Amino acid sequence: MMVTRLKDETRIETTTKPVLRPVPGGAHIAVRNLSHTYRKADGRVLDALDFEIQPGAVVALLGRSGCGKSSLLHMLAGLTHPTEGEVIINGNVVRGPSPKWVMMFQAPSLFPWMSVAKNAALGLKFNRRTGEIAKRIPEILDLVDLGPFADRNAQELSGGQQQRVALARSLAPSPEMLLLDEPFSALDAFTRRSLQQDVRRIAKDLGLTLVIVTHDVSEAVIMADRVLVLDANPGRIADDTTISLENDERNASAERFQSEQARLMQIYTDVAHGDAAAPLS
Amino acid sequence: MSLGADTYRGRAALALPKLAWFRGVANAVIGIAVLVGLWWLGGVAVANNPNMYAFADFAPGPTLSALRDMVGSGEVVGMAWPSLYRVGAGMLIAVAFGVPMGILIGRVAILREITNVPFQFLRMISPLSWMPIAVMVFATWDGAIVFLIAAAAVWPVLFSTAAGVRRIDPAWLKVARNLGANVVHMLFTVILPAIAVDILTGLRLALGVAWVVLVPAEYLGVTSGLGYSINDARDTLDYSRLAAVVVVIGIIGFTLDYLFMLAIKHFNWVRSAD
Ligand SMILES: Nc1ncnc2c1ncn2[C@@H]1O[C@H](COP(=O)(O)OP(=O)(O)OP(=O)(O)O)[C@@H](O)[C@H]1O
Ligand SMILES: [Mg+2]
């Protein structure tokens, strides 16, 4: 009797496919009256920003170089404190970095003395969750198509593969929100496109909130549900627009994609010209 | 100290293909043969000079036979052990002070600026000039010698560590902080692995200095160790024995240096492109 039951249980266990634990809803972000001035710079970088991001949304921050996109993202991640105002995630004021909101940078910055799997496991290690590593890391590496590379040294991978490791590293602690600062800009067009689509798909599958900084209009159209267009000097939200495309329309050959891209490009250039016309303070 | 660029070049040069390795060994054998040849010629010249005939035992033949006796009887172990112990203890103290201090001055600009002049000043003072003071301060000769070795070894370790810390990619620290690393994680998962090779390179330089300082330090007071053995052989006019100790000093120094090189190779995380 006992023996058969044990057997049954074992069989069930081995046939159950590992499923990634989805984050229900992802994080809700509220930015309240946020302004920032760097000590060394003159003038405000960001000026009285006020917006909300709904759980599970993919939002792009679009703006030309120097308008304060990275600064804003660092504040959402708790890596920089705004001089005024606050960032509120799920009802709590952000006071520092947390594995619940992970930022991904332009360079993958993997640790070259570690294997791919060790790099991906860092977030779990730093948060006393080493017990989960053995199960979670293979799953997460499969998710980013790097399963066979687990034991390779991080330096032996291509730029695109390294950025996938960085993505796995960010996803491993099951964050509720992922913040991406132009993470694909160093990659070739083909690799960039496939990663853009993969990251959007993964974020949607896991239900995470995704905020992506970019100055590439087509990237915003491929990935985002909503685009915040930023003004420069000082950084303000000049436009807040929705990208209403189905997932299968999010590729450059779709007709609706092209019209959305043209529309966003128009908004972006209008904002940029507005900047140029404004007197430099 | 500009260890920077050289250290990185050194890292790449460590990976030699097989043919080059064989060539390296062959050339090393030729080099040793030339050295022994010159030594032998010197011995012949001394033996034929009536004024220096008394020193003929410095020649390779008598020296190597004295060396064989020394090794065969195990005497060499008793001779080398106290020296190795003193160098080891001195280097440990140098690491215990130099690595944490190096990390601190590498990370904290104000500390680096304050300590720069005093440290550079102290570094330029020959460790042997502390000898009279060390002898007065320390109750035992052993203590004084360990202090002198530590004083010699600390600077390469400290400066190499600091240079390594300053070369750490700031993005690594940002990524670690972003993923929730605390100070202990930062130190043991990021900083120390990143600078392991710099620390070992500093230790390798330190060993070179310490091994040089050891022998004159052991001329004083102590009645054990390689330096003492040289002095003792001189006093008893046993020149073949004296030369044998010199050879032992060279061999041990070379071996220790080689071990450090292997350790550096092991901890070196830079992969060459081939
Ligand atoms: N640590 C800092 N100290 C002083 N000024 C800074 C600092 N970081 C950024 N700035 C300034 O703040 C402004 C916004 O910088 P930020 O990096 O946020 O721009 P960005 O929109 O991300 O630009 P890019 O698209 O080029 O990355 C710039 O004028 C920049 O010079
Ligand atoms: Mg930026």
Side-chain angles (χ1 to χ4, degrees), chain B residues 45-95:
Chain B
V46 167
N48 290 325
N49 183 334
N51 292 330
M52 299 207 292
Y53 181 74
F55 302 111
D57 276 356
F58 275 123
T63 301
L64 291 179
S65 99
L67 184 64
R68 202 182 49 225
D69 292 347
M70 223 178 251
V71 173
S73 67
E75 193 192 356
V76 70
V77 177
M79 232 179 242
W81 180 248
S83 296
L84 285 171
Y85 162 77
R86 287 166 195 143
V87 167
M91 299 262 291
L92 265 181
I93 293 168
V95 169

Side-chain angles (χ1 to χ4, degrees), chain A residues 74 77-80 97-99 101-105 108-114 122-123 125-128 153 155-156 169-170 173, chain B residues 168-182 184-186 188-195 267-272:
Chain A
H74 276 76
L79 290 170
T80 308
S98 153
W101 43 88
V102 178
M103 183 152 165
M104 249 181 92
F105 307 93
S109 297
L110 304 178
F111 294 146
W113 54 88
M114 290 180 189
L122 280 172
K125 179 176 169 181
F126 291 159
N127 292 285
R128 299 158 194 263
N153 181 278
Q155 290 171 90
E156 294 166 9
R169 179 179 65 190
S170 307
Chain B
I168 289 180
D169 185 347
W172 288 341
L173 302 174
K174 194 154 92 172
V175 162
R177 200 157 72 88
N178 186 217
L179 290 169
N182 60 28
V184 177
H185 293 132
M186 277 300 188
F188 288 98
T189 312
V190 186
I191 296 178
L192 284 177
I195 63 169
F267 282 100
N268 175 21
W269 42 259
V270 175
R271 299 278 177 279
S272 56

